[in-house]
Amino acid sequence: MSTTETPMRPETRGAIELTAAMLLSGTLGVFVVESGASPFNVVFYRCVFGTFFLGLYCLIRGFFKNHGFTAKKLGLAALGGVFIVFNWAFLFESYESTSISVATVVYHTQPFFVVLLGAVLFKDRITAHKAGWLVVAFLGLILVAGVSSSDLSGDSAYLTGLGYALLAALFYGLSTIITKRVTGVRPHLVALVQVLLGIPLLLPFTQLSESAQFGSGWAWLVGLGVIHTGVMYVLMYSSYQKLPTSKIAVLAFVYPAAAMICDWAVYGHHVSWTQALGIPLIVGASLGISLGWRPRLRPAPVSTAPAQSGPDTTAAEEAKELAATAPAQDSAARKRTTV
């Protein structure tokens, strides 16, 4: 008797790939802290080692043939790269003043900056339900920030760290709305352009004289380039081709969950009860923005006939609406980038 293995469904494979990518993202903060390098040095060497990995990967896969770049697309990719590398620098700065957990959760206000920037720069309309989710996210942000009266009196490194995390989210939003306009080019090549640009861009801010003192920190820096900028991006971009919007949006929150677990396991940091109340507000609001959730008012039944078992017409209408909006949502989700 012969047995044949059932091939793994593409969606299942994509879910595994994206989960693995988000778990790797969750260890990012530990690699940054353990490297012992300053934030700009960390980003500089992340770009150096990431360039080598992504360049070799694209060469082996033959992505340089028929790359699809035009002068305009290359310029947009480069401009997005300016924002993405400084986004990393500000995020890593925030680790030093707050904690990996708080910085990562605050950083995940990115979708709301994308919405706000779209309204400011491209006159995109902010609907009532999007405005509602922005309010929910802001309330969650206040709780997660956990700012006390002592933080407001005088200079506060903690407030500075929160500012860096928000600035990183803002720069991520700018990179997203610019990079999403680079169509017809493999995302691996766009990422390669961005990390390659980061090398000369960050050189003036990098203290190369500190490199001789890194010691074992070199292993962590190589890991940031190879694992978090190479392997993670390959897994992430591969998964986007196989998953619907809903799964991409939900699995993206494996990243902050993993970051909080790593922060607790390695450094003993944990969030307070007040901060814990704010996390689901930010998560729920982000999912609401990403998936287009909106409150649905159910009208009172107009028929006086007794209820009978049969098809749920309300559910059918919801399914039709979801089917109509899914292609646009899928397209938007697959154009998102990450840390």
Side-chain angles (χ1 to χ4, degrees):
M1 182 177 65
S2 61
T3 60
T4 58
E5 294 185 3
T6 303
M8 185 180 297
R9 293 174 56 231
E11 187 171 322
T12 302
R13 184 183 295 276
I16 293 173
E17 290 172 341
L18 187 54
T19 300
M22 294 300 99
L23 287 173
L24 290 177
S25 296
T27 65
L28 178 73
V30 175
F31 276 67
V32 171
V33 174
E34 291 301 310
S35 72
S38 63
F40 276 100
N41 277 8
V42 171
V43 180
F44 175 78
Y45 286 110
R46 180 184 187 181
C47 289
V48 170
F49 296 119
T51 296
F52 279 113
F53 183 96
L54 287 173
L56 183 61
Y57 179 82
C58 291
L59 181 63
I60 293 174
R61 295 295 304 273
F63 291 167
F64 291 116
K65 299 177 181 178
N66 301 318
H67 49 74
F69 273 121
T70 62
K72 180 180 178 180
K73 292 178 182 179
L74 188 60
L76 287 172
L79 181 58
V82 172
F83 291 117
I84 204 68
V85 295
F86 280 103
N87 141 78
W88 292 339
F90 289 127
L91 177 61
F92 298 165
E93 285 276 6
S94 70
Y95 291 160
E96 297 185 350
S97 304
T98 56
S99 68
I100 295 173
S101 298
V102 172
T104 303
V105 174
V106 172
Y107 180 66
H108 267 73
T109 56
Q110 306 152 348
F112 316 112
F113 282 104
V114 173
V115 171
L116 293 173
L117 288 168
V120 172
L121 299 178
F122 302 106
K123 308 302 181 184
D124 294 342
R125 188 171 66 92
I126 298 181
T127 60
H129 79 276
K130 285 185 178 180
W133 287 124
L134 289 173
V135 172
V136 172
F138 182 72
L139 294 175
L141 178 61
I142 292 175
L143 292 173
V144 169
V147 178
S148 63
S149 57
S150 61
D151 295 321
L152 298 176
S153 58
D155 295 333
S156 172
Y158 184 73
L159 282 179
T160 302
L162 292 176
Y164 279 136
L166 287 172
L167 195 57
L170 172 62
F171 274 46
Y172 177 93
L174 287 167
S175 177
T176 298
I177 63 174
I178 291 170
T179 304
K180 71 187 292 185
R181 283 162 173 76
V182 184
T183 57
V185 180
R186 289 185 181 273
H188 310 79
L189 291 173
V190 176
L192 176 60
V193 169
Q194 294 177 341
V195 293
L196 181 61
L197 175 68
I199 297 174
L201 186 65
L202 293 170
L203 191 57
F205 305 95
T206 305
Q207 298 175 326
L208 296 178
S209 59
E210 293 183 357
S211 303
Q213 305 171 7
F214 288 163
S216 60
W218 280 112
W220 298 100
L221 292 173
V222 172
L224 281 167
V226 174
I227 298 173
H228 297 94
T229 315
V231 175
M232 186 188 77
Y233 275 25
V234 169
L235 288 171
M236 184 177 65
Y237 293 143
S238 176
S239 69
Y240 285 175
Q241 300 173 2
K242 307 179 182 77
L243 293 175
T245 301
S246 56
K247 285 195 174 181
I248 292 174
V250 171
L251 290 176
F253 284 95
V254 172
Y255 166 32
M260 294 173 68
I261 292 173
C262 287
D263 197 20
W264 167 77
V266 178
Y267 304 111
H269 296 159
H270 58 84
V271 296
S272 66
W273 284 107
T274 304
Q275 291 172 319
L277 292 174
I279 293 172
L281 293 180
I282 293 179
V283 171
S286 180
L287 289 173
I289 288 286
S290 300
L291 301 180
W293 290 347
R294 66 191 69 194
R296 185 178 300 278
L297 301 177
R298 295 180 178 273
V302 295
S303 174
T304 57
Q308 298 179 2
S309 60
D312 187 338
T313 56
T314 302
E317 292 170 359
E318 292 177 357
K320 289 179 181 178
E321 182 175 342
L322 180 61
T325 58
Q329 294 172 350
D330 283 351
S331 176
R334 292 192 177 100
K335 292 176 181 176
R336 293 187 61 193
T337 58
T338 190
V339 177

